[in-house]
Amino acid sequence: MRRTFLIGAVTAGVLCALTPPVSASSVSVSGSSNVVRPDDRRLAYEGHWGRSATSATTVNSGSRLRLRFTGGTLHALFDVSSITVPAQIYVSVDGGPKRLYAVDRDDLDIAVPGRGTHTAELSVKDVFSRANRWTPPLETGVVLTGLRLDEGARLLPQHPLPGPRLAFYGDSITQGVMALCEVNTSDCADGTAAYPTLVADDLHASLTQVGFGRQGVLQTGNGGVPAAGDAYGWNYADSRADSDRRADVIVVNQGTNDTAYGTEEFRAAYRAYLDRLRSAAPHARILALRPFNGAHADDIAAVVRELADPHAEFVDTTGWISPEDGDFNGTVHPNAQGHRKVADRLASLIKSKEH
């Protein structure tokens, strides 16, 4: 039976139904066959993307792709053959408003304001945490197979971002779950409204944002995701990550989901996790956050003290956000206001100790 998808595109708002999709093989873009491969070096990926000549795949909210191109059209091409819960993405062209799309078809026609030289940023709003996003074939995620430009149009080189290289590792909070409203759905989640993206934008920094719902250093995550130590260094199962070693600053927000585990077991796992981060990025500054609900706060502080690593520090987040100030959707997840407050604190902390 043929699947019927609905695709939406609006300005930072609600998805609107359009016409059913057409197969990429039958789409004609002004007769163009000018397809950019996903591994083209002129494409600037941020975050965990498993890349090859045929696809670039991410399962993380907050992952981004930036490009510069000429012409008057832009089509983003995807493989949705195994997808049952489409991811949501934003696309901004020439620094304009973000338009929201569901990645539920193999060809998205991105609105471009006329012919000329343009920039575009694709950012992943949400990859639903409760569908399989770890072991292929993936039920959710973004699988980009290329970009189609006008015939004769060109992809252009880009300048690197001037700020530091930031990496954030955490759970559903880092993912941006329930940032927009109080239901655990993709519509209520927004990785670009979560504190990692906000900090990176404030500092003009490159971003790796890895958040997995329900995950802890001992607790496995939703969607088939392993615990943090086993997931670290991988984009998803059998796809090694290559961005971890380049981070200048690593922010860890783990422990919220490990309340079922005792002090001794948690400390051993947390220390092993920090050891893995340090081994992969020997010169990075590591910020170990107190979880916003205070879970295992004393244990995390103790592990950091025991490590005696001059480039690792415990960050006491007590009082940064609170239910009394309306900073949460539900009992655990910060809302957009709460994420903004956390981002302001973290950005100031990172800037205060930059070389």
Side-chain angles (χ1 to χ4, degrees):
M1 178 180 294
R2 181 185 178 191
R3 288 184 296 171
T4 301
F5 290 119
L6 293 178
I7 173 64
V10 298
T11 302
V14 181
L15 289 168
C16 299
L18 300 181
T19 56
V22 182
S23 168
S25 61
S26 64
V27 171
S28 174
V29 185
S30 302
S32 172
S33 60
N34 190 9
V35 175
V36 177
R37 289 183 4 173
D39 63 346
D40 193 295
R41 292 180 178 273
R42 292 166 294 183
L43 297 174
Y45 291 93
E46 296 182 44
H48 279 188
W49 293 83
R51 280 176 278 172
S52 70
T54 58
S55 64
T57 302
T58 185
V59 299
N60 291 121
S61 306
S63 294
R64 302 199 277 204
L65 168 63
R66 293 180 291 109
L67 62 144
R68 293 176 63 230
F69 63 99
T70 64
T73 62
L74 174 65
H75 284 243
L77 310 177
F78 300 94
D79 179 359
V80 297
S81 59
S82 66
I83 301 300
T84 60
V85 184
Q88 295 183 2
I89 63 172
Y90 291 121
V91 182
S92 172
V93 177
D94 297 336
K98 297 187 301 183
R99 295 175 64 86
L100 177 62
Y101 297 82
V103 184
D104 56 5
R105 63 194 301 180
D106 50 20
D107 187 319
L108 295 184
D109 184 359
I110 308 300
V112 176
R115 298 188 63 84
T117 299
H118 303 285
T119 62
E121 180 176 285
L122 180 157
S123 52
V124 181
K125 174 182 177 286
D126 187 62
V127 176
F128 187 54
S129 67
R130 295 184 178 180
N132 170 37
R133 57 169 166 166
W134 191 256
T135 304
L138 302 173
E139 295 177 347
T140 189
V142 176
V143 185
L144 181 77
T145 59
L147 298 161
R148 184 182 285 123
L149 307 178
D150 287 336
E151 193 67 42
R154 294 180 298 128
L155 193 65
L156 302 174
Q158 300 178 83
H159 299 295
L161 294 170
R165 294 163 295 190
L166 306 180
F168 296 79
Y169 298 100
D171 49 38
S172 57
I173 295 171
T174 298
Q175 182 181 337
V177 169
M178 294 171 62
L180 303 184
C181 49
E182 295 191 6
V183 184
N184 191 351
T185 63
S186 282
D187 288 341
C188 281
D190 191 342
T192 73
Y195 68 90
T197 293
L198 300 179
V199 171
D201 288 347
D202 287 350
L203 301 181
H204 306 289
S206 63
L207 172 65
T208 294
Q209 181 172 340
V210 179
F212 291 114
R214 200 185 71 163
Q215 190 193 63
V217 294
L218 289 160
Q219 174 64 50
T220 57
N222 289 325
V225 178
D230 294 325
Y232 179 76
W234 298 91
N235 300 310
Y236 49 89
D238 299 325
S239 175
R240 288 193 178 275
D242 62 3
S243 61
D244 304 80
R245 299 178 182 275
R246 299 193 295 268
D248 297 310
V249 181
I250 298 173
V251 179
V252 178
N253 188 4
Q254 287 285 8
T256 300
N257 295 313
D258 290 309
T259 55
Y261 299 95
T263 288
E264 184 175 350
E265 191 175 10
F266 177 84
R267 289 189 184 187
Y270 196 90
R271 174 159 187 157
Y273 184 55
L274 293 191
D275 285 341
R276 292 202 65 182
L277 298 178
R278 174 56 71 218
S279 177
H283 305 294
R285 182 181 172 201
I286 298 176
L287 304 179
L289 302 189
R290 167 194 174 274
F292 303 130
N293 68 349
H296 289 291
D298 292 341
D299 296 328
I300 294 170
V303 168
V304 174
R305 284 195 305 270
E306 291 165 4
L307 286 174
D309 181 339
H311 299 296
E313 60 188 282
F314 171 70
V315 178
D316 187 354
T317 65
T318 302
W320 284 19
I321 52 178
S322 70
E324 292 76 19
D325 292 335
D327 296 329
F328 289 86
N329 279 329
T331 58
V332 174
H333 297 93
N335 56 24
Q337 172 182 292
H339 279 290
R340 180 71 264 176
K341 289 183 177 180
V342 171
D344 290 344
R345 294 272 199 155
L346 271 177
S348 295
L349 181 62
I350 292 169
K351 284 190 293 186
S352 70
K353 294 189 178 181
E354 284 184 337
H355 298 298

